[in-house]
Amino acid sequence: MRRTVLLLSAVAALVASAVVAAPGLSEQVVPKMLGVSVALDSSVDRVAESGAGFARTEVRWSDLEKEKGVYDFSALDSLFTKLESKDIRAIIVISGGNPLYESGRPPHTREGRTAFAAMAAAAAAKHKGAIWQVWNGPNQATSWAPKPNAQEYVELVQATSIAIKAADPSALVIGLSSWVNDLAFASRCFELGLLKSIDAVAVEGGGAGLPALGYGPLRELIAKHAGRGRTYPLVVNHQLAQSPAFVQTAGQLTDIADGVAVSIWPGAADSLGDLTGCKLVRKLGGRLEDSILLFKGNDGYRIAAWTTGSEREVTIPAEGDASKLNLTGTPAIVRSGSGERFALEEAVDISTGIDHRWRLQDEVNVAIVNPLSRTLKGEASITVPGMPKPMSRKFSVGGGKSELVHFDPIVLWDGRASVVAEVIVKFDGVATPIARTVDLGTSRRISARPSCPIEQIMEFQVSNPSGVRVKGRLRLTDIKGLEIKNPMVKFDADGSAIVALSLDEPARREFSFGYELLDSLGKVVFRAPVRNYTIIETFQGASNAIPPAAYDFVSFGDSNTKATSDAFCMLHDSQYTSLQRMSVLRLRYSCASGNRHFKLDPKTDLTLQGKPIELGMWLQGDGNGTKLTCRLTDASGKAIQPAGFVMDTKQWRYKTIQIDTAGSEAPYKLETLALIDPQGAAAIGSIYLGPIMVVSE
């Protein structure tokens, strides 16, 4: 049914939401939304000359409170005086333990939290309207000793935020303060309620502007835990090593394009001089690796464009209709004028969402706000991978009026990082259509993931973060190498669920299949592509209570840090009634604080077939917060070490490590099956490894 409606208020809301000022922060205008890192005793003249609106500085708690309850804010007073005279807003990061409390450890008791919060409140009462960041890098053992603890950190932020807001209601509190790609730490903090105590999410962004997947995964996590109607702007601090100027320029522009509220850099923020006074109004079309941004200032429009892919020629708006631009890795800023074509680009705004009333139906709304005196007619269409053909709607918008074109695309997610749609808007009489690439998001989508088979049992974990209970069936397709008479099982997922398929005989070492989830009406809501699965270890057949013949388990790192380790094969209780005992490998380790790690290396060549995307293992962790990952090498010997996961549970679980092979070449060799990282802390623990499987494209 055609659903093209005139909703002036709805359209206005959509357009207004495209680029808005974050609550309590400045509007996203260049260069006011940029920040510069400064020392407490720095001159701020260079910051002021660049036009940056923010200055970020770090101060240690122990420097502010050298006697209990007595505060020395003289260094802060001097910095605030200089910043206020230049109309620059301060972002103050307070971090580091204090020897007066808890032997200098990060605050982890009521006494320490109360003392830290009282100090921060006293500073906030003296310097109104500042932005206060609670701690820096709490996800690192070097900052939060003896090891990162999300519970302790969140409790500190909660106490400090209450105290700061009581002292200065106009203050902003920002937190998380971890690396942007440490999603495990972020997820745990959000689960513990961090977002309820902060106004914005602060992260460390790295030197190139963005991690491999951008801010998307972090935003997905924020959306999942924020609650309906709540938004949390990003404040990103970049630690830029010595690099060409265009790296900082590209990083600043990328942050602007991705809606970052404050983008902070070590050097001056004047590399975007051609965009001074301009505001981003639209992110234009192109491939995902392309960035084509339309800015608007008092004297007309400008376009900033570059690519992280190969150099090529693209079409951009121009005074008449369109022109060509050679897209490279160096951002090009083009002063484009103020013609009708630019007004049409600005007039088209696209928003996405989920209609929870209709079985999690995707929604895409194309808002057209006609800036001209004449009527605009044309057609809008949307294409989503997997759809048999594009969906299209015609529109007619009178001069100065607005129209909302609504689409309900059928989206079939395959579990990958993004769901991308292409929206095309064709205006009658305009030769070149307006094309936009739209990310429909993944945070609310149902999915499933298989576990390595144990004997004749294969588990799937169904994840349903939508908030709406879904019942249905899981079905295997294109099966090779598995003997199974009934490749279908029912599921009932309200959040998450575990379902198991019974195999007719134990799985072979190598097999392949695809799988899909069907809802109660038989509609496919998730479909995973056919992939290859290889069981690389089961530990079966190894003699009990002796070291494994095929592996070495050793410690490495600082030889001055005491460490011990051993490995034994053994029988372990199984969670399945049909399988009383199973063979596992116990890894036992201990070390003092310092740079010490442990690794389980195969003694023989373990070359993987195809392109690995995931290593999964059954294990029982020790819950001590150490990290576990693996290490591979490619054909050239280049090392690949994924992020891995934190062992924060003592339960028997199937855990996965995602492997990114971008920029590397096959074949791939598994050099280290399990790498244990205590993250600089003293640690004593044991983990039990069961069957291990590699998933490949």
Side-chain angles (χ1 to χ4, degrees), residues 126-148:
K126 191 171 186 181
H127 299 291
K128 305 284 187 180
I131 301 171
W132 304 92
Q133 178 176 319
V134 182
W135 221 261
N136 192 40
N139 63 320
Q140 303 173 56
T142 53
S143 177
W144 197 278
K147 58 187 175 185

Side-chain angles (χ1 to χ4, degrees), residues 50-209:
S50 74
F54 299 88
R56 177 189 187 272
T57 193
E58 295 188 31
V59 59
R60 298 190 63 80
W61 177 15
S62 57
D63 292 334
L64 301 178
E65 185 179 0
K66 297 182 179 178
E67 180 181 344
K68 283 191 174 184
V70 179
Y71 309 122
D72 179 7
F73 296 140
S74 56
L76 280 179
D77 296 342
S78 175
L79 179 64
F80 271 99
T81 298
K82 290 184 285 188
L83 293 177
E84 288 169 358
S85 69
K86 304 293 186 180
D87 193 28
I88 301 170
R89 193 167 184 187
I91 300 176
I92 307 298
V93 184
I94 305 179
S95 192
N98 192 321
L100 299 175
Y101 306 94
E102 303 171 333
S103 302
R105 276 189 56 188
H108 60 284
T109 67
R110 183 185 294 260
E111 179 196 15
R113 290 191 293 270
T114 301
F116 185 93
M119 172 274 304
K126 191 171 186 181
H127 299 291
K128 305 284 187 180
I131 301 171
W132 304 92
Q133 178 176 319
V134 182
W135 221 261
N136 192 40
N139 63 320
Q140 303 173 56
T142 53
S143 177
W144 197 278
K147 58 187 175 185
N149 188 306
Q151 179 77 50
E152 292 176 357
Y153 173 67
V154 170
E155 289 178 354
L156 176 65
V157 175
Q158 290 169 340
T160 305
S161 179
I162 291 171
I164 287 176
K165 298 285 187 176
D168 176 19
S170 67
L172 294 184
V173 177
I174 61 179
L176 184 61
S177 316
S178 65
W179 285 102
V180 66
N181 57 359
D182 192 345
L183 300 179
F185 184 79
S187 179
R188 183 60 179 149
C189 287
F190 296 160
E191 289 171 357
L192 292 168
L194 176 67
L195 293 175
K196 296 178 182 178
S197 300
I198 60 177
D199 301 291
V201 174
V203 290
E204 300 292 312

Side-chain angles (χ1 to χ4, degrees), residues 642-663:
F645 55 84
V646 175
M647 291 188 288
D648 56 1
T649 179
K650 295 182 179 180
Q651 302 300 313
W652 185 249
R653 293 282 188 270
Y654 188 74
K655 304 287 286 187
T656 59
I657 299 170
Q658 304 307 304
I659 301 172
D660 183 2
T661 57

Side-chain angles (χ1 to χ4, degrees), residues 620-687:
Q620 180 176 315
D622 47 28
N624 63 8
T626 58
K627 282 190 173 181
L628 190 146
T629 187
C630 62
R631 180 177 291 162
L632 304 90
T633 55
D634 73 350
S636 67
K638 174 185 174 183
I640 302 170
Q641 184 169 313
F645 55 84
V646 175
M647 291 188 288
D648 56 1
T649 179
K650 295 182 179 180
Q651 302 300 313
W652 185 249
R653 293 282 188 270
Y654 188 74
K655 304 287 286 187
T656 59
I657 299 170
Q658 304 307 304
I659 301 172
D660 183 2
T661 57
S664 60
E665 299 179 2
Y668 299 94
K669 183 183 296 185
L670 194 56
E671 299 283 357
T672 298
L673 194 60
L675 191 155
I676 300 172
D677 178 9
Q679 303 182 76
I684 300 176
S686 294
I687 66 171

Side-chain angles (χ1 to χ4, degrees), residues 326-388:
N326 193 41
L327 210 59
T328 70
T330 301
I333 300 176
V334 181
R335 186 182 295 269
S336 299
S338 56
E340 179 180 294
R341 171 67 186 195
F342 303 106
L344 293 179
E345 289 279 0
E346 184 181 358
V348 176
D349 181 50
I350 301 170
S351 67
T352 64
I354 297 288
D355 185 347
H356 292 272
R357 299 168 301 173
W358 299 102
R359 310 190 65 77
L360 309 182
Q361 173 64 56
D362 281 86
E363 295 184 317
V364 177
N365 294 301
V366 181
I368 301 172
V369 182
N370 187 353
L372 310 178
S373 58
R374 61 182 174 84
T375 296
L376 288 173
K377 295 183 179 182
E379 183 179 71
S381 64
I382 181 171
T383 302
V384 177
M387 285 177 55

